[in-house]
Amino acid sequence: MSSSPARSAVERLDVLIVGAGISGIGAARYLKTELPSKSFAILEAREASGGTWDLFRYPGIRSDSDLHTFGYEFKPWRDEQSIADAPRILAYLRQAATENGLEAHTRYHHKVLGASWSTDEARWTVEVERTDTGERTTLTCGWLFCAGGYYRYDEGFTPRFEGLDRFKGTVVHPQHWPEQLDYAGKRVVVIGSGATAVTVVPAMATTAAHVTMLQRTPTYVMPVPRVDVIANTLKKYLGPRRGYALTRRKNIIQQRLIWSFCRRFPKAARRLIRWVNTRQLPPGYPVDEHFNPPYDPWDQRLCAVPDGDLFRVIRDGRASVVTDRIAGFTEQGIRLESGQELAADVVVTATGLNVQAFGGMGLTVDGRGVRLPDTLAYKGMMLSGVPNFAYAIGYTNSSWTLKIGLLCEHFCRLLAHLDAHGYDTCRPEPAEPGMATRPFLDFGAGYVRRAVDSLPRQGDRMPWLTSMDHRDDIRLLRSGGVADPELRFSRSAVRAEVTT
């Protein structure tokens, strides 16, 4: 009989942050700056920080938001590139962690398996597994802050393809890119049309014999400048901090105007995007076949291509787009429903992500399991009926980090409010239990639709709506108070004994 893994002594923390990516590093910095007396740790299941920007290694990986808004408000983005590649973003994140002394608080190879809340003790008991040794440990914390995003790191989404086992070439998913993959001079088919596909295609086309982007449905694609000339000019004459602040404000307004225009005038936006695409593509190119989606702009996220690199490789003949459905794989490539066959040596399945809420950790409150679809999102950062639990989910229609910063500020103000009034517990509870609800992420992307039934819901009014408007969130999370009739504050028996 094998012995069970050794357990270490129980550690007590004020806050436990799960995830050392862009959200976790941001949360830790705000916590250390605003509430320096709080004890905290960052647990990261992988061997390195950076989250998405360390995990993904596929060719050309970059941001699809400008780094003046995707970067932290507290740390100016100094690089010349505005749409930056992953190594530059990763260096920026790790520099932020180093500058704020966060490495000493970060524990790698630590995966949170589950957490149990005790109302009597006003604490979470957290089960942790060492991913390198298998050892299991337990610690407790007053607050649990989940900063792991919303998709699975261990696997991406790949549909079932008929006859895939017959294919004699190489099949890779961008989420698990082989370091030594050689595609120089080879025929490549990239399945997909989202942000990953439009990044991989031009990057691989530089050395591949030819790259075909095979899509079932077109996506809106817009060229954007890789270098923001205005931003670099402002930094030159005003200095990095003031120049960054002004550029950030400019880009926030610009993002909002573009999104608002697309939502308010979808037909005009569609015509404008088509006009831009037509100017970027060769004369006579079938734009409506390959770049005219059946949905309105921003029903799903627009794809940005820096300096029009996707269009450039299409013009040069190094890449092409095929819009069709896959009937199955053959030994030499992919057979389409139209009867056409695409020959391939390498197939890249840029077919999306698998959504996983809160890193897959199980939550229980006073012995009862938390079923996420039965909970409501409070201010886009807490869950109804779940005390002292916060999470970081950014924008889907703008730069992710714009919301993370506001959430972290609000989280710190909330903890300060509890301390100032002698509370140790707060629990969101809707005044109307029968409130109408809608999906947690009101977004048309396939990876969201596949997981919608396993996620929390949102309500039909504030504070139970998950806002995707930065201006509204400034009012709600930065300017607005933390006290709310639907956020119940209390003192545990342990706290009451300490204060008497």
Side-chain angles (χ1 to χ4, degrees), residues 228-304:
D228 187 332
V229 175
I230 296 176
N232 292 338
T233 302
L234 289 173
K235 284 188 287 186
K236 178 180 178 180
Y237 290 103
L238 300 178
R241 189 160 296 279
R242 288 183 63 199
Y244 178 72
L246 285 173
T247 301
R248 187 177 173 89
R249 186 176 301 176
K250 167 184 78 74
N251 290 358
I252 289 171
I253 294 171
Q254 180 177 288
Q255 289 175 8
R256 177 180 172 80
L257 289 175
I258 291 172
W259 184 82
S260 298
F261 173 76
C262 289
R263 303 308 291 165
R264 188 173 180 183
F265 306 106
K267 292 182 179 179
R270 181 191 290 267
R271 288 195 300 268
L272 178 60
I273 294 170
R274 185 187 185 282
W275 177 79
V276 172
N277 290 170
T278 301
R279 290 175 60 86
Q280 292 277 322
L281 291 162
Y285 188 87
V287 177
D288 289 329
E289 180 181 355
H290 301 310
F291 290 96
N292 187 22
Y295 52 85
D296 287 335
W298 275 115
D299 282 353
Q300 298 185 31
R301 194 177 177 98
L302 270 67
C303 287

Side-chain angles (χ1 to χ4, degrees), residues 49-50 56 84 91 116 145 184 186 216 266 330 342 351 354 390 394 416 437:
S49 63
F56 288 101
S116 303
F145 188 102
K186 296 184 178 180
R216 183 175 58 183
T330 66
L342 297 178
T351 46
N354 277 323
T437 66

